[in-house]
Amino acid sequence: KQEVTQIPAALSVPEGENLVLNCSFTDSAIYNLQWFRQDPGKGLTSLLLIQSSQREQTSGRLNASLDKSSGRSTLYIAASQPGDSATYLCAAASGGGADGLTFGKGTHLIIQP
Amino acid sequence: DAGVIQSPRHEVTEMGQEVTLRCKPISGHNSLFWYRQTMMRGLELLIYFNNNVPIDDSGMPEDRFSAKMPNASFSTLKIQPSEPRDSAVYFCASSLVSKGTEAFFGQGTRLTVV
């Protein structure tokens, strides 16, 4: 059974810093890995999707990497802004991608102005 | 597209009552998922459908929970009878398997059972 762990559980940094959020998964036979953002009381917004054949994906100030052999993914946020404050969730898809996602518990990020 | 649409956004009900949550997936998507989010357990997959057919309901916590997808544009999650421990946020998500299976989530239904 796939298990996904995110470290740290919470992070508070000053505005402008570059930061890395970590995600690890136990079963390397994933179909893809997806990073989401969740604002308080809101739904999940998809940030980046990395297919199992890819090593990284970039969108604006966000860069996500995937290392299947070590069971790890990282989300890099450049030049952080207060608007980046949210909970970031990573989720692994298995079984051809149609079997749903296994989520980590998330990293609660606070960017101090 | 308006995205995944869930209703109601908030539901408060008394213990023992029947609760029905509704979901309209993104048009053209062929997979639909129901998740539950709690502080203690995070996001958990309850059940998913491919092409309107239930594939795996092993995440459904008890027989009190049931889900249907009568057509490609509508799904329901029903709890009967509801209990206080069912209080959570319930999310519906959809994806298109042939397009890398990126999942898109609705805004969720916050259920409170008193």
Side-chain angles (χ1 to χ4, degrees):
Chain A
K1 178 184 174 183
Q2 179 74 273
E3 293 182 4
V4 178
T5 303
Q6 291 187 247
I7 294 174
L11 182 64
S12 180
V13 300
E15 179 179 4
E17 283 199 6
N18 303 324
L19 56 98
V20 175
L21 307 182
N22 296 292
C23 172
S24 62
F25 46 93
T26 56
D27 185 355
S28 62
I30 62 171
Y31 185 76
N32 64 42
L33 188 134
Q34 202 165 346
W35 283 92
F36 294 88
R37 168 184 174 140
Q38 186 174 28
D39 292 285
K42 303 294 185 182
L44 280 68
T45 300
S46 179
L47 298 174
L48 289 164
L49 171 71
I50 310 177
Q51 301 294 346
S52 61
S53 58
Q54 298 174 322
R55 294 300 300 267
E56 65 179 308
Q57 281 287 334
T58 298
S59 176
R61 294 182 294 107
L62 304 180
N63 176 277
S65 68
L66 175 63
D67 184 342
K68 285 178 55 179
S69 61
S70 67
R72 293 179 183 178
S73 176
T74 62
L75 179 65
Y76 175 82
I77 302 176
S80 59
Q81 303 171 359
D84 295 331
S85 298
T87 296
Y88 291 80
L89 295 152
C90 77
S94 303
D99 294 352
L101 296 168
T102 302
F103 279 85
K105 292 287 184 67
T107 293
H108 181 55
L109 176 64
I110 296 175
I111 306 299
Q112 306 156 11
Chain B
D1 198 311
V4 177
I5 300 173
Q6 292 186 244
S7 65
R9 291 293 310 278
H10 302 273
E11 177 79 37
V12 180
T13 191
E14 292 185 349
M15 182 175 61
Q17 295 297 306
E18 176 181 299
V19 176
T20 299
L21 311 181
R22 297 172 176 80
C23 175
K24 176 178 169 55
I26 292 173
S27 178
H29 281 190
N30 55 8
S31 292
L32 182 139
F33 310 86
W34 283 99
Y35 292 87
R36 179 171 70 174
Q37 185 176 38
T38 61
M39 288 293 292
M40 288 296 295
R41 300 173 68 89
L43 271 156
E44 301 174 290
L45 178 65
L46 300 177
I47 184 172
Y48 64 94
F49 298 81
N50 286 338
N51 297 314
N52 312 338
V53 177
I55 303 300
D56 186 350
D57 65 355
S58 60
M60 299 284 257
E62 299 174 39
D63 291 345
R64 299 183 294 106
F65 287 69
S66 63
K68 294 182 179 179
M69 192 166 186
N71 57 62
S73 59
F74 184 66
S75 177
T76 60
L77 178 67
K78 183 180 293 185
I79 308 172
Q80 166 63 19
S82 58
E83 297 183 3
R85 57 183 168 156
D86 302 331
S87 298
V89 181
Y90 292 81
F91 287 103
C92 175
S94 70
S95 68
L96 180 60
V97 174
S98 63
K99 286 288 188 181
T101 325
E102 182 174 10
F104 295 88
F105 280 70
Q107 290 298 296
T109 295
R110 182 173 296 276
L111 173 65
T112 302
V113 183
V114 298

